[in-house]
């Protein structure tokens, strides 16, 4: 395990408790904020983002704490760096009685352009549907609710304060230093709604000069309607998990993406398709990419899923003429700027497919996050055979808890996409640990010299990623999700390492690819952090299990009407066991 990965996976959170408040200090993040043992907020943290929405990396240089019986004070000195930018800040926490204050005092250490600097509040995803009252800077009150379905645009704007009730307690957030607004971060598979500043209605980026200071604060207050003696007891974990014989879904088709790596690939039975993204505006590059991808598809024993990235409709015919159509299962086209199937591109693709007699599926939607599909619903063409969007769990944060928490949100995006598509088959992917490109960049694509560093995660070849992969497959095992494509075939973003050895993720993919369409059974009971994926194969019952925690898990699992067996699963890993 790389030292960097060990730090990310094994560093424990620091528990902080004062009076009725409990939270965790995870690096620079004040996480899992609880009041009287009940969850309130996912987190409060400070962020610094550059002109391309890239998040500067925070380093906590010191933590000082002081307190007495009535008040707890803690101050974090944080240095933010990256992308040629540097910023320093103090993040102060003060807990007193039923109030929790967080203060941000930041100073620019050099000139740079920025889209956002300051505090963000992450609300819990289970607040979906909860009533909330928004107070404007002019003290006007507006009633609303956190949206149950993923909202394409900001559900709340012009915020000076917001209040809601949860678990018998009235909570209120008061903001100072700027006007705030809220967005639905489930669009990017984050497990949160986020309240932030400045509002997106203001022009950005803005020029930040050395010495420029920003001061903000958030006050979280609680007003319980029940006595403090009222205890909250967490339900115990299930002692024995039971795999029932009724079916909850079927194993979706699995695929991967072409890579630039030249390593020879193994035959992978059952792999549904190999995605290749082709730049239509660069014919020579398109030809080279297609030739390389065709060779990789032949080695893997699969066909191509072609995504044409076009600046104009005229980019599409030359690429179509290059395609080995007999070995292509799907074709889609997406704008190189907006990343969706624009009308003029779609019409050109449909006409070219008809001219060439292409018998496969035509794909519309977005090549970027669910966000783009949700905000550009017109990209779901009425005459498309299927739709698509991609997933990456690190749009806003790189910490392992955020990556893990994205798993159930992936199911939410799929369910919403199926509603938007009115039942059209859904092909999810590419699903990658890091973004393949910056969909919100103002300066264009990644510099080729830094491409691998920007798009590759050192966790790629670790056991952790196999566990996360299985969790993702579990989440996306939804009727209507026809296929899911993960990572690249080989290289730094691959199922196979650059030198040709197999990653733990490859082992999970290879086994499940052969089980396409097999029944996935229902499981009664739950253990936090444990994913169970029981598959009824032709040769018996196979149990795929993943541990998405930093501790080894030991639990009993039995088949309905049968005997229990004990599963021992190491931290951050996935296993396959017979269960019959």
């Amino acid at each position: 395990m790389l030292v960097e990965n060990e730090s990310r996976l094994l560093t424990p959170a620091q528990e902080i408790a004062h009076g009725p408040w409990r939270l965790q200090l995870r690096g620079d993040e004040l996480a899992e904020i609880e009041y009287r043992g009940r969850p309130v907020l996912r987190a409060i943290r400070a962020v610094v983002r550059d002109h391309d929405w890239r998040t500067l990396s925070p380093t906590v240089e010191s933590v000082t704490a002081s307190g007495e019986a009535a008040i707890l004070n803690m101050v974090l000195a944080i240095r933010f760096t990256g992308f040629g930018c540097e910023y320093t800040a103090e993040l102060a926490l003060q807990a007193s009685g039923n109030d929790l204050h967080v203060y941000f005092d930041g100073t620019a250490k050099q000139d740079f352009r920025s889209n956002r600097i300051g505090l963000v509040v992450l609300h819990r995803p289970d607040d979906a549907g909860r009533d909330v009252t928004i107070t404007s800077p002019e003290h006007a009150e507006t009633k609303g609710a956190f949206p149950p379905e993923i909202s394409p645009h900001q559900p709340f704007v012009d915020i000076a304060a917001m209040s809601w009730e949860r678990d018998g307690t009235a909570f209120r957030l008061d903001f100072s230093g700027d006007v705030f607004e809220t967005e639905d971060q489930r669009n990017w598979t984050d497990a949160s709604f986020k309240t932030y500043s400045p509002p997106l209605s203001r022009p950005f980026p803005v020029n930040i000069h050395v010495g420029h200071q920003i001061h903000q604060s958030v006050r979280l207050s609680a007003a319980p309607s029940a006595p403090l003696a009222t205890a909250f007891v967490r339900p115990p974990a299930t002692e024995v998990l039971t795999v029932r014989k009724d079916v909850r879904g079927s194993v979706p088709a699995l695929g991967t993406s072409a890579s630039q790596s030249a390593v020879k690939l193994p035959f992978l039975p059952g792999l549904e398709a190999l995605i290749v993204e082709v730049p239509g505006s660069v014919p020579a590059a398109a030809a080279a990419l297609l030739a390389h991808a065709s060779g990789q598809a032949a080695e893997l024993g699969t066909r191509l899923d072609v995504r044409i990235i076009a600046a104009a409709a005229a980019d599409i015919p030359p690429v179509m003429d290059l395609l080995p159509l007999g070995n292509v299962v799907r074709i889609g086209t997406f704008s190189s700027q907006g990343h969706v199937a624009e009308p003029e591109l779609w019409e050109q693709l449909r006409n070219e497919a008809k001219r060439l007699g292409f018998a496969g599926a035509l794909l519309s939607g977005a090549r970027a996050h669910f966000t783009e599909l949700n905000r550009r619903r017109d990209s779901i063409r009425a005459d498309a055979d299927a739709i698509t969007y991609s997933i990456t769990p690190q749009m806003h944060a790189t910490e392992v808890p955020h990556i893990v928490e994205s798993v159930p949100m992936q199911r939410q995006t799929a369910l919403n996409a199926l509603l938007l598509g009115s039942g059209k088959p859904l092909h999810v992917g590419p699903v990658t640990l890091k973004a393949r490109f910056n969909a919100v960049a103002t300066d264009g694509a990644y510099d080729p010299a830094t491409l691998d560093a920007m798009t590759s995660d050192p966790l790629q070849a670790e056991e952790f990623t196999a566990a996360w992969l299985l969790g993702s497959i579990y989440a996306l095992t939804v009727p209507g999700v026809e296929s899911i494509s993960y990572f690249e075939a080989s290289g730094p973003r691959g199922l196979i390492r650059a030198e040709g050895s197999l990653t733990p993720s490859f082992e999970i993919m290879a086994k499940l690819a052969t089980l396409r369409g097999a029944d996935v059974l229902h499981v009664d009971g739950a253990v936090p952090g444990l994913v169970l994926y029981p598959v009824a194969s032709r040769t018996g019952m196979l149990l795929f299990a993943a541990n998405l925690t930093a501790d080894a898990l030991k639990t009993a699992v039995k088949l309905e009407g049968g005997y229990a067996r004990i599963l021992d699963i190491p931290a951050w890993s996935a296993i396959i066991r017979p269960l019959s």
Side-chain angles (χ1 to χ4, degrees):
M1 180 184 291
L2 295 175
V3 174
E4 177 185 347
N5 294 341
E6 186 172 354
S7 175
R8 288 174 71 188
L9 293 171
L10 302 180
T11 301
Q14 178 184 346
E15 298 287 340
I16 298 172
H18 186 82
W21 298 104
R22 301 289 186 277
L23 63 136
Q24 297 179 7
L25 177 59
R26 296 179 181 171
D28 68 308
E29 182 180 53
L30 307 173
E32 305 302 340
I33 298 172
E34 297 182 349
Y35 178 77
R36 296 196 300 166
R38 294 169 170 84
V40 182
L41 295 176
R42 169 62 187 80
I44 301 175
R45 73 186 309 174
V47 300
V48 180
R49 298 202 165 105
D50 76 354
H51 63 287
D52 272 338
W53 293 106
R54 296 175 298 189
T55 303
L56 276 63
S57 298
T59 300
V60 178
E61 298 191 317
S62 67
V63 179
T64 57
S66 62
E68 50 192 43
I71 302 175
L72 168 70
N73 291 291
M74 178 176 287
V75 179
L76 282 65
I78 309 173
R79 184 166 61 96
F80 300 86
T81 56
F83 318 110
C85 309
E86 183 178 1
Y87 198 88
T88 62
E90 282 193 349
L91 186 74
L93 167 69
Q94 184 181 84
S96 174
N98 290 328
D99 288 348
L100 194 72
H101 280 86
V102 178
Y103 303 91
F104 173 84
D105 295 287
T107 304
K109 309 306 287 185
Q110 63 185 79
D111 296 347
F112 66 101
R113 292 187 300 154
S114 174
N115 291 343
R116 180 172 299 155
I117 300 174
L119 292 172
V120 299
V121 174
L122 303 182
H123 309 266
R124 296 177 54 83
D126 60 2
D127 277 331
R130 191 178 307 280
D131 291 337
V132 62
T133 299
I134 303 298
T135 303
S136 74
E138 294 74 33
H139 308 293
E141 291 190 349
T142 303
K143 303 290 186 181
F146 287 99
E149 303 299 334
I150 301 175
S151 175
H153 302 292
Q154 283 68 16
F156 314 128
V157 297
D158 201 27
I159 302 172
M162 58 196 311
S163 55
W164 69 99
E165 291 189 7
R166 184 182 177 109
D167 296 325
T169 301
F171 293 100
R172 179 181 171 96
L173 282 166
D174 287 279
F175 302 90
S176 71
D178 208 339
V179 177
F180 285 69
E181 64 186 22
T182 303
E183 71 183 7
D184 193 338
Q185 287 206 133
R186 296 176 300 170
N187 276 292
W188 297 273
T189 70
D190 295 65
S192 60
F193 302 91
K194 179 175 69 182
T195 299
Y196 61 90
S197 71
L200 291 178
S201 57
R202 294 182 192 166
F204 61 85
V206 297
N207 292 318
I208 302 295
H209 298 292
V210 61
H212 179 267
Q213 295 185 333
I214 291 178
H215 306 284
Q216 293 182 355
S217 70
V218 173
R219 175 195 177 197
L220 172 62
S221 55
S225 57
L228 284 176
T230 302
F232 175 70
V233 180
R234 296 187 184 279
T238 307
E239 292 186 1
V240 180
L241 304 178
T242 302
V243 178
R244 296 215 313 256
K245 294 181 181 179
D246 59 314
V247 176
R248 65 169 289 267
S250 59
V251 178
L254 297 176
T256 187
S257 290
S259 65
Q260 297 180 14
S261 169
V263 66
K264 182 172 175 56
L265 305 177
F267 180 66
L268 209 167
L271 193 71
E272 194 256 355
L274 183 76
I275 293 177
V276 55
E277 296 184 300
V278 182
S281 58
V282 188
L289 280 171
L290 283 169
H292 184 62
S294 294
Q296 289 189 322
E299 291 172 352
L300 292 166
T302 191
R303 296 192 292 169
L304 294 177
D305 178 336
V306 179
R307 314 287 174 91
I308 303 173
I309 315 306
D315 293 343
I316 295 173
V319 176
M320 293 291 287
D321 287 333
L322 291 170
L323 298 183
L325 292 178
N327 198 40
V328 176
V329 64
R330 284 183 294 276
I331 305 174
T333 184
F334 308 93
S335 166
S336 57
Q337 297 299 313
H339 314 301
V340 299
E342 300 288 2
E344 64 276 11
L345 302 181
W346 178 256
E347 290 303 315
Q348 186 72 65
L349 175 66
R350 189 176 63 171
N351 292 339
E352 287 298 302
K354 183 177 180 180
R355 174 178 70 86
L356 296 170
F358 176 62
L362 295 183
L363 196 61
S364 74
R367 68 182 287 252
H369 316 92
F370 174 76
T371 318
E372 279 70 37
L373 186 74
N374 202 16
R375 292 177 176 174
R376 287 292 310 278
R377 301 180 181 194
D378 60 327
S379 68
I380 303 173
R381 314 310 304 175
D383 52 350
D385 298 300
I387 60 174
T388 189
Y389 67 94
S390 297
I391 288 175
T392 176
Q394 298 187 70
M395 175 65 181
H396 298 109
T398 62
E399 294 90 347
V400 164
H402 287 274
I403 299 174
V404 170
E405 291 165 357
S406 76
V407 168
M409 299 303 102
Q410 294 180 31
R411 175 171 295 177
Q412 185 72 37
T413 62
L415 292 171
N416 278 224
L418 289 165
L419 287 175
L420 296 179
S422 302
K424 289 184 184 295
L426 177 59
H427 298 276
V428 181
V431 179
T432 54
L433 282 182
K434 294 285 285 291
R436 310 180 326 278
F437 61 96
N438 188 347
V440 293
T442 58
D443 277 355
Y446 289 140
D447 182 344
T450 62
L451 181 66
D452 281 350
M454 294 298 298
T455 61
S456 306
D457 192 315
L459 289 172
Q460 182 68 51
E462 299 284 355
E463 289 277 357
F464 165 83
T465 301
W468 185 85
L469 166 70
L470 184 61
S472 174
I473 294 171
Y474 169 85
L476 294 171
T477 298
V478 172
V481 175
E482 196 163 292
S483 77
I484 319 169
S485 186
Y486 288 97
F487 313 138
E488 292 182 359
S490 57
R493 297 170 290 279
L495 296 166
I496 301 166
R497 296 180 181 90
E499 80 281 2
S501 61
L502 307 179
T503 67
S505 295
F506 179 93
E507 305 291 349
I508 297 294
M509 281 279 289
K511 191 64 180 177
L512 279 173
T514 65
L515 297 172
R516 175 182 179 181
D519 290 339
V520 178
L521 304 184
H522 186 87
V523 178
D524 278 345
V527 173
L530 176 65
V531 175
L532 291 185
Y533 195 74
V535 180
S537 72
R538 291 187 295 273
T539 57
M541 201 75 65
L542 278 178
L543 181 64
F544 295 77
N547 178 0
L548 285 168
T549 77
D551 299 309
L553 288 178
K554 187 172 185 178
T555 190
V557 180
K558 72 173 184 177
L559 184 63
E560 187 176 26
Y563 294 98
R565 64 173 299 166
I566 303 298
L567 285 184
D568 282 296
I569 314 175
W572 306 125
S573 63
I575 62 173
I576 308 172
R577 297 287 187 271
L579 188 67
S580 56

